[in-house]
Amino acid sequence: MKLTIAAIGRAGRGPERDLYEHYARRIRWPLTLRELEEKRKLPPAEMIKREGELLLAAVPQKAVMVALDRRGKVLDSETFAGRLRRWRDDSVSDVTFLIGGADGHGEPLLERATLAVSFGAMTWPHLLARAMLAEQIYRAQQLLAGHPYHRA
């Protein structure tokens, strides 16, 4: 199973990028980070639509799409790991995680997503959300392997 994180915005060097890379290096599934950006200044509604188009264009054909969105489901780590296990065991070839821009995802993208996940009611910086996602993927990998990294 190949994993892609498609994210709006580019991360320069800094602690958030370092933290993302710290966990990404530990993930055994092939993982790709696709950073996407719309440079034009557009009104918010148009920007959400354009960013959605950029994100959807980055999704491999037939991939399971998981949108990170404040309106999504809050999953505990075991449930998240169970989803990845199910997709792995069902021979899903690609899973793509979508991280939107400052104004979030539009309804058309959310309707196409297989799953929308929230990291809680608080707003997280998008660069930190990448690191948090990479850590949760790594944690899921360790849970599925029976490794004691995760303690309930």
Side-chain angles (χ1 to χ4, degrees), residues 33-138:
L33 174 63
R34 303 263 330 259
E35 296 181 307
L36 309 161
E37 195 169 33
E38 174 57 60
K39 295 193 183 265
R40 294 176 292 169
K41 300 292 183 204
L42 299 172
E46 287 181 46
M47 185 61 84
I48 291 170
K49 181 176 184 257
R50 178 63 185 136
E51 289 173 347
E53 293 166 353
L54 290 170
L55 288 167
L56 291 172
V59 177
Q61 194 170 31
K62 298 184 181 179
V64 168
M65 288 191 295
V66 179
L68 272 65
D69 190 271
R70 62 180 170 76
R71 297 164 286 180
K73 294 180 183 176
V74 176
L75 304 177
D76 62 28
S77 296
E78 292 89 350
T79 303
F80 182 71
R83 293 282 180 132
L84 289 174
R85 181 185 62 242
R86 189 172 329 126
W87 292 326
R88 179 199 66 196
D89 293 351
D90 289 344
S91 300
V92 169
S93 62
D94 292 281
V95 177
T96 300
F97 297 91
L98 306 171
I99 301 175
D103 295 312
H105 295 300
E107 288 302 320
L109 185 143
L110 291 173
E111 289 170 4
R112 290 189 55 190
T114 304
L115 175 66
V117 173
S118 172
F119 284 151
M122 292 182 175
T123 301
W124 296 101
H126 289 83
L127 295 179
L128 191 53
R130 296 174 193 193
M132 293 167 63
L133 175 59
E135 191 281 334
Q136 284 300 300
I137 294 168
Y138 173 69

